[in-house]
Amino acid sequence: MTEETTPVVEPNAVEEPLDLVRLSLDERIYVKLRGDRELRGKLHAYDGHLNMILGDVEETITVVEINEETEEEVIRTIKNTAEMLFVRGDGVILVSPPSRTGV
Amino acid sequence: MSDSYFGFDTTMPPLNSDQLTAGTAEITEDELSKNFEEFALESGQDFGCDQGFDPLADQLVETGDDYNEETFGNDITNIGDDFDFTQSNAKIADTIQKEEKLYVDRRKSAPSDNNELLRQRPLFSNLWDDQSGGISVNGNGSYPNDPTNDPKTSPLMPESPISPSIWGSYHPPSTRKESLPRHHHETNLHHPSYENPPTYPPSQISPLPPGFGPPGPPPTARVPTLEEIEKQLQRQAGQSLTKRMLSLAEVEAALLGLNGRPPPLPIYGQTEGAYREQEAAFLEQEAAIREQEVMYYERERKRREKQRKLADMAKYNGLMTQNDKDYINRIQISQLVTDDPYSDDFYYQIYTAIRNRPAQPQMGTFSPHASGGGAMGHERRHRNRGSESGMLKVQQQVLRIVNDVRRKPKSTQLSLEGALGKIALNSVRNPRQLLQVSTKHTDTHQNHASPSGGSHQKVPSISSHGVVDHRKVLRSIENIYWAVLRLEELKRNQEREAKDKWQEKYTELVNKMWEELLVTEPIGVSFPHPFISILSVSKGKKVIPRVLRHCNKDQFTTLITMLVANFEALDVCKTAIGGSNGNIKQSILDEVELFMNTVVPPLLQFVAEAPLKIVNGLLTLFIERNNIIWVAKSKVGLAFLTMFLSRAEILKQGGGYMQGLPLPEEREIMQWQETYNRLFNQLQTYFLLSFPPFMSNIDDMYVWQFLAAMAVGASMEQQHILVTEVRERVLETVVQASRIPQDKATHKITNVNLFLHALGLDASQLKI
Amino acid sequence: MTLIGQQVTVELKNDLAITGILVSVDQFLNIKLDDIHVVEEQKYPHMMAVKNCFIRGSVVRYVKLPASAVDTALLQDAARREAQQPTVPAPR
């Protein structure tokens, strides 16, 4: 395998978290955002602030509503889609490859 | 009265009207003294200036003064009277008492509420006023208080409310009970502020109207001190009461004038009509003037306020010169400047280039720095020349700052000369650090380190041996991209660098890229082969044409060989084969399409130039290494087969001659025929399986193309087998074409004819 | 930026969404929009009269872009190049 190859220079290997994000370029990813929002879409671009551009995005907003009568918590999800979405990085909580079952 | 300098207590019980009407002149000195004494005791006021009225003095202890004579001298008789305040004060007391009486008389006619007190203030000065008017109170012998001249009904009264409003809190009521001398003294102290209070309109200090001017010293000439007044009084000591009255009035008038009082208005009624008329005329005039003054004052106040504000704003005017402003501008612009427009706005540069839109001139394009990218800057320089000379100027200015910044590239903060603070060099690429993890790898970034297989050593694979985990594949792909992007940049830079050096760099990068492709990984160590794994990711497919642009023939051959040998492991092969119902997920179809558009074209190009020997070898490998029946069910598999078959047919017919290839040897053709036969035999009875389900919307042209390629190389016997096998499909298609819209039908027929023409037939010959 | 002149929808962190023609974007991702209209007009009627606006970058949650105006492959390359840029070493 590649173990035999001797690199000429030290590779800019996956050392930083952002390099892991780089691996997901052109891949579908899962993004958790502030405000109980989740995004699933294809990562087209990102920067150091985790500003991202996602394609074919599905946004899921989780809203917890309390039923006035029964006082039960009703969890409702709102789904939105966008063909191309710029996401400002300051709202990003986590970025991960999609779960195997999801997306 | 509260506003009197002499501190008369207006709360003093009013005298009866008889006393008032009696006239001031008829009040004897004794009476006055007595009244004054009584008043002083009653009100508890200390008039101070007259010790003779101090009853406490009687109880003074006169003993223990044995040495007084020694100290002060014993010839008491020779003592002059220049310090004899008692004497003179006693005389003033008369005057004061008299005045007091007059005032009290007047006051009696007015209600004693505080507002009235304020209103009455100007009246006091009428004493003087009357005199200056040439009408001596005493000269008249009597000065009857005209009841019609009551302040309330007096025509003068409308003046009164104005005056206090203008003067504001001129006389706080608390000063009312102060003793006379002290008050006087205070007045002197307060004088400057009274004379020119900030809110005071200048006109209020203005001299009195002619005829009303004080006979004494002009108000602004000097401030009479207590001593001065006393001296004056002393001089007048021997004079008549009238005279003394005058002098006192003079002093008061002077003081009033100094204090910016309005011209005193006569309050004592005049029996003479002429005087009244004169007075009324004057008052009218006065009122008008006042009104104007009030308006003027308002305007003046507003103007000053406005000026103050303007001055406030303008105080920073001229703080920065134009040079300073330019300098700041340059600092700001320098933050945006780069020497490599491609690295700082790669997307913009390429995008605009692709769209064939002239890119806006970029600052960085004028950078002389050739290293580290900015390749196109060179070309662009020519392109942009003469576009905007103004821009050029700014750019040159900016360049200096940029170079300054570049000189200390490692600092995270920049302190520019003259700047008040430090400019943080955090950028998009270098956000402010919140965490400091290990810095041992920072060197790698400085080196622009290229990715290599070595990176795999650092991250242990979580997968068991032989299974390439997805992340590892992604890392390889990104490393390929890394190399490709650098290669592309290097290509753009080609003309800027020394050929040797450039070639060295280029070769190194190509090798790097090649390593990352993992094409040369031994087969069978892992499954699927790492290269196939790369090709099974969409971005892996996308990078292939860009990779192959930098590959030499050998690398090309190796790559296609590896691909063919592991073909059935490709996602576009193994997952893109429909089951019995022929349903294939759209995402897979997309991948197939992507593969056909990215990977296949360069390979087709390669095969289209390959000699028969290589084509034969590839097909042989294809057949041997894959379940060809299975592969032939996939679009991609058929495309490869078609590719090889077509090329071989062309070469067999001498098509390679045009490309400078020698005609294939007989042995090669023989070998090819063998391979073909093997293929045909394997696929025989399965040809129909290559078609997608008949009713599906998938265009089956690629199958007809494959069949055509098979038919061309087939023997008569093989052709017969072919036709027999697919006859059903041909007929179905032609029948279907007769029932569907023209354009679609034409396409269907064309597809069928691809095959039929290869056999020397045509769809039109078919009789249905 | 290549999206200037395109119609985009900016969704703010307060859920207000504004559609308009992109006029400019700066380094802080502050955004200028022209010919704007609010997506939920009935919910934010006070924005009716506003014809253009400047949006501070920090209040932006999303910007919805027209996919047709975006070259995704190029965008990915741009992101990769960005990641390649040598970062300033952390002060030790």
Side-chain angles (χ1 to χ4, degrees):
Chain A
M1 291 274 302
T2 52
E3 277 79 0
E4 290 88 30
T5 57
T6 313
V8 177
V9 284
E10 276 287 306
N12 63 343
V14 183
E15 306 285 352
E16 295 175 7
L18 279 183
D19 285 325
L20 280 173
V21 177
R22 182 167 59 103
L23 299 187
S24 290
L25 273 171
D26 205 20
E27 294 276 290
R28 287 190 79 79
I29 56 163
Y30 165 82
V31 182
K32 191 169 164 61
L33 294 171
R34 288 169 188 270
D36 295 318
R37 284 159 197 270
E38 295 163 64
L39 299 174
R40 286 175 176 85
K42 194 183 249 189
L43 179 66
H44 290 309
Y46 71 93
D47 68 11
H49 305 288
L50 277 180
N51 294 324
M52 286 180 282
I53 294 173
L54 302 180
D56 297 322
V57 193
E58 184 185 73
E59 183 195 26
T60 308
I61 310 168
T62 308
V63 186
V64 179
E65 287 172 344
I66 293 168
N67 189 315
E68 300 265 327
E69 293 161 23
T70 62
E71 293 191 358
E72 278 175 21
E73 285 190 352
V74 180
I75 296 169
R76 195 162 61 90
T77 55
I78 303 163
K79 287 196 190 273
N80 299 312
T81 57
E83 53 179 10
M84 196 63 68
L85 191 69
F86 165 84
V87 183
R88 193 172 163 90
D90 57 3
V92 173
I93 293 171
L94 75 83
V95 180
S96 88
S99 61
R100 306 222 176 259
T101 50
V103 187
Chain B
M1 196 163 183
S2 68
D3 44 348
S4 163
Y5 286 110
F6 297 95
F8 294 129
D9 191 348
T10 53
T11 59
M12 193 175 137
L15 300 175
N16 61 45
S17 53
D18 289 341
Q19 283 170 299
L20 280 170
T21 48
T24 48
E26 274 140 47
I27 299 167
T28 64
E29 267 191 58
D30 281 351
E31 263 177 71
L32 282 168
S33 299
K34 204 177 151 201
N35 283 341
F36 188 70
E37 204 171 56
E38 275 168 12
F39 171 63
L41 287 170
E42 211 173 286
S43 64
Q45 255 187 343
D46 181 16
F47 283 86
C49 57
D50 192 348
Q51 293 300 315
F53 287 96
D54 185 0
L56 295 172
D58 301 333
Q59 294 160 31
L60 282 173
V61 178
E62 297 289 342
T63 56
D65 55 352
D66 306 302
Y67 295 103
N68 267 2
E69 285 174 21
E70 261 179 54
T71 309
F72 299 108
N74 46 11
D75 190 5
I76 326 164
T77 55
N78 290 338
I79 297 167
D81 60 353
D82 56 341
F83 62 90
D84 188 359
F85 295 111
T86 314
Q87 196 188 4
S88 54
N89 281 351
K91 280 160 193 161
I92 309 167
D94 298 340
T95 317
I96 291 168
Q97 278 170 341
K98 193 152 189 180
E99 192 174 279
E100 180 64 18
K101 201 141 191 78
L102 288 170
Y103 169 68
V104 165
D105 291 348
R106 225 218 76 254
R107 205 201 150 274
K108 205 183 153 224
S109 62
S112 60
D113 86 65
N114 279 339
N115 288 339
E116 286 305 308
L117 294 181
L118 277 169
R119 285 200 207 158
Q120 286 159 14
R121 180 170 43 73
L123 305 178
F124 191 58
S125 50
N126 290 339
L127 279 173
W128 164 80
D129 209 10
D130 292 346
Q131 289 155 3
S132 65
I135 304 155
S136 169
V137 175
N138 290 328
N140 283 347
S142 90
Y143 197 56
N145 189 9
D146 191 346
T148 62
N149 219 7
D150 184 289
K152 275 201 152 177
T153 55
S154 165
L156 316 178
M157 280 321 286
E159 294 292 320
S160 303
I162 298 170
S163 310
S165 75
I166 290 171
W167 300 332
S169 57
Y170 190 60
H171 290 283
S174 63
T175 62
R176 199 172 55 189
K177 295 214 169 182
E178 300 222 29
S179 63
L180 178 71
R182 217 178 119 200
H183 198 137
H184 193 140
H185 186 62
E186 262 183 29
T187 304
N188 281 337
L189 288 175
H190 290 170
H191 225 277
S193 67
Y194 283 153
E195 197 169 29
N196 203 6
T199 56
Y200 225 73
S203 58
Q204 291 295 327
I205 317 168
S206 69
L208 307 167
F212 290 83
T220 51
R222 64 198 181 92
V223 180
T225 62
L226 182 61
E227 296 91 279
E228 276 174 335
I229 294 166
E230 273 173 350
K231 263 184 203 164
Q232 204 182 1
L233 290 172
Q234 271 182 343
R235 262 189 277 118
Q236 294 161 351
Q239 290 175 359
S240 69
L241 185 67
T242 312
K243 263 294 179 199
R244 270 179 277 153
M245 270 290 289
L246 270 172
S247 69
L248 182 63
E250 247 173 52
V251 169
E252 201 191 355
L255 287 171
L256 287 170
L258 281 170
N259 284 302
R261 298 271 185 112
L265 303 171
I267 201 72
Y268 288 92
Q270 308 276 330
T271 46
E272 295 93 339
Y275 182 76
R276 294 279 299 270
E277 269 174 40
Q278 184 195 351
E279 205 173 51
F282 163 69
L283 287 169
E284 258 174 50
Q285 219 179 350
E286 185 76 356
I289 291 166
R290 289 268 175 92
E291 211 169 293
Q292 281 183 347
E293 279 168 354
V294 169
M295 282 167 65
Y296 169 78
Y297 166 65
E298 255 315 295
R299 279 203 306 271
E300 182 71 5
R301 195 185 59 78
K302 281 179 180 166
R303 193 185 63 82
R304 284 186 190 182
E305 182 65 14
K306 198 175 166 186
Q307 273 195 329
R308 194 190 58 77
K309 278 182 184 167
L310 279 171
D312 207 41
M313 284 189 290
K315 69 182 167 190
Y316 300 116
N317 279 3
L319 208 61
M320 285 175 80
T321 64
Q322 191 55 45
N323 264 351
D324 294 337
K325 290 172 189 170
D326 290 346
Y327 189 61
I328 299 297
N329 283 342
R330 285 198 298 272
I331 290 171
Q332 290 179 328
I333 294 168
S334 71
Q335 301 283 304
L336 309 171
V337 164
T338 169
D339 61 341
D340 182 6
Y342 281 87
S343 65
D344 267 35
D345 203 350
F346 177 82
Y347 182 85
Y348 174 82
Q349 296 295 327
I350 303 286
Y351 189 89
T352 48
I354 289 171
R355 301 277 159 134
N356 211 10
R357 256 194 283 160
Q360 305 250 325
Q362 287 271 314
M363 305 287 184
T365 56
F366 288 84
S367 164
H369 291 255
S371 62
M376 294 291 254
H378 194 68
E379 312 162 21
R380 305 179 78 80
R381 201 182 308 189
H382 300 296
R383 223 187 295 165
N384 293 333
R385 179 149 295 170
S387 54
E388 284 158 53
S389 63
M391 203 68 183
L392 183 69
K393 213 171 173 182
V394 177
Q395 284 159 352
Q396 282 167 344
Q397 286 181 325
V398 156
L399 201 59
R400 209 178 67 237
I401 294 171
V402 175
N403 289 338
D404 285 348
V405 173
R406 206 174 281 122
R407 253 173 247 138
K408 26 184 174 174
K410 291 202 169 100
S411 63
T412 50
Q413 278 195 324
L414 163 70
S415 189
L416 285 161
E417 194 192 340
L420 289 177
K422 285 183 176 176
I423 297 167
L425 289 181
N426 298 327
S427 66
V428 174
R429 262 167 278 111
N430 180 37
R432 187 174 53 202
Q433 237 184 1
L434 295 176
L435 273 178
Q436 277 201 29
V437 197
S438 164
T439 55
K440 61 176 178 161
H441 296 300
T442 48
D443 289 352
T444 62
H445 300 291
Q446 283 170 300
N447 292 342
H448 289 223
S450 73
S452 80
S455 64
H456 299 291
Q457 297 168 330
K458 294 210 171 88
V459 185
S461 172
I462 51 163
S463 62
S464 59
H465 186 71
V467 178
V468 181
D469 74 290
H470 191 60
R471 182 142 55 103
K472 213 165 160 184
V473 173
L474 291 177
R475 189 169 300 124
S476 296
I477 295 170
E478 284 303 326
N479 290 342
I480 295 164
Y481 271 106
W482 186 95
V484 166
L485 284 164
R486 293 206 71 81
L487 278 169
E488 288 169 356
E489 186 181 303
L490 207 56
K491 278 250 179 184
R492 286 199 297 268
N493 272 347
Q494 195 163 4
E495 72 247 51
R496 279 216 223 163
E497 290 194 43
K499 204 171 169 143
D500 296 354
K501 206 180 165 197
W502 184 87
Q503 193 59 47
E504 194 185 313
K505 278 190 192 173
Y506 184 81
T507 311
E508 189 188 306
L509 275 169
V510 169
N511 290 339
K512 192 80 31 196
M513 176 190 74
W514 186 249
E515 282 171 21
E516 288 299 329
L517 272 173
L518 308 178
V519 171
T520 52
E521 295 294 305
I523 292 167
V525 173
S526 59
F527 183 83
H529 187 273
F531 176 60
I532 299 302
S533 296
I534 287 169
L535 286 179
S536 295
V537 178
S538 59
K539 61 177 166 178
K541 296 182 181 77
K542 285 175 190 169
V543 81
I544 292 299
R546 296 165 75 179
V547 165
L548 291 175
R549 236 170 268 149
H550 304 285
C551 286
N552 58 34
K553 268 261 173 336
D554 286 349
Q555 287 168 329
F556 232 114
T557 311
T558 313
L559 187 142
I560 196 170
T561 304
M562 191 58 75
L563 178 59
V564 164
N566 297 281
F567 196 87
E568 63 184 8
L570 281 173
D571 63 332
V572 289
C573 179
K574 70 178 177 192
T575 59
I577 296 163
S580 53
N581 56 4
N583 285 341
I584 301 169
K585 269 168 73 182
Q586 185 56 45
S587 60
I588 304 288
L589 291 176
D590 290 345
E591 287 297 303
V592 170
E593 210 51 43
L594 185 63
F595 189 89
M596 294 296 288
N597 291 328
T598 56
V599 182
V600 173
L603 296 183
L604 188 62
Q605 182 67 28
F606 171 78
V607 171
E609 291 166 8
L612 187 59
K613 194 172 71 182
I614 287 179
V615 176
N616 190 23
L618 287 172
L619 183 60
T620 308
L621 191 65
F622 202 29
I623 296 163
E624 283 175 355
R625 296 271 318 163
N626 300 284
N627 180 343
I628 208 69
I629 300 164
W630 176 256
V631 169
K633 284 181 173 181
S634 71
K635 186 179 180 178
V636 179
L638 282 184
F640 267 70
L641 288 173
T642 310
M643 185 165 73
F644 297 139
L645 293 169
S646 309
R647 176 61 184 168
E649 209 52 48
I650 289 165
L651 287 172
K652 262 169 40 183
Q653 294 164 15
Y657 181 75
M658 304 276 283
Q659 296 161 308
L661 291 174
L663 281 173
E665 294 169 23
E666 195 62 31
R667 188 177 53 88
E668 285 172 347
I669 294 175
M670 287 293 293
Q671 280 174 343
W672 167 253
Q673 203 56 54
E674 267 178 46
T675 312
Y676 177 89
N677 290 340
R678 270 178 77 185
L679 175 68
F680 192 93
N681 292 339
Q682 284 196 26
L683 287 176
Q684 195 175 350
T685 74
Y686 297 102
F687 282 115
L688 213 51
L689 290 178
S690 296
F691 282 102
F694 183 69
M695 291 313 290
S696 76
N697 289 322
I698 298 164
D699 185 6
D700 56 2
M701 184 178 76
Y702 66 93
V703 187
W704 296 112
Q705 281 174 330
F706 163 70
L707 291 174
M710 284 300 284
V712 168
S715 63
M716 286 299 287
E717 189 189 352
Q718 284 165 334
Q719 280 184 352
H720 186 75
I721 295 166
L722 255 181
V723 170
T724 312
E725 270 198 47
V726 300
R727 186 172 169 274
E728 205 67 354
R729 182 80 180 198
V730 171
L731 292 175
E732 275 175 358
T733 305
V734 173
V735 169
Q736 188 195 30
S738 63
R739 298 189 205 126
I740 58 175
Q742 185 64 44
D743 54 337
K744 280 187 184 172
T746 310
H747 182 68
K748 290 267 181 198
I749 298 297
T750 309
N751 284 346
V752 174
N753 275 340
L754 284 173
F755 171 61
L756 294 179
H757 288 174
L759 298 167
L761 300 168
D762 194 275
S764 57
Q765 298 170 307
L766 293 173
K767 292 193 180 97
I768 303 152
Chain C
M1 184 64 179
T2 51
L3 284 170
I4 284 170
Q6 298 282 342
Q7 178 163 297
V8 299
T9 300
V10 180
E11 184 177 321
L12 309 185
K13 285 175 179 146
N14 65 359
D15 292 337
L16 177 68
I18 304 168
T19 301
I21 305 296
L22 189 65
V23 177
S24 69
V25 179
D26 70 8
Q27 54 173 334
F28 306 108
L29 300 175
N30 298 325
I31 295 168
K32 268 191 206 166
L33 293 182
D34 247 354
D35 295 334
I36 61 159
H37 68 266
V38 172
V39 175
E40 291 177 290
E41 204 112 65
Q42 69 283 358
K43 201 173 162 189
Y44 305 95
H46 56 282
M47 292 289 287
M48 291 264 274
V50 185
K51 284 285 159 279
N52 53 60
C53 64
F54 177 89
I55 300 167
R56 188 182 153 93
S58 62
V59 303
V60 172
R61 181 189 288 135
Y62 304 135
V63 182
K64 288 178 185 167
L65 314 170
S68 57
V70 178
D71 184 329
T72 53
L74 200 51
L75 209 49
Q76 289 159 22
D77 278 356
R80 289 182 181 109
R81 284 189 59 107
E82 187 128 332
Q84 274 181 23
Q85 298 295 316
T87 51
V88 179
R92 279 142 222 254

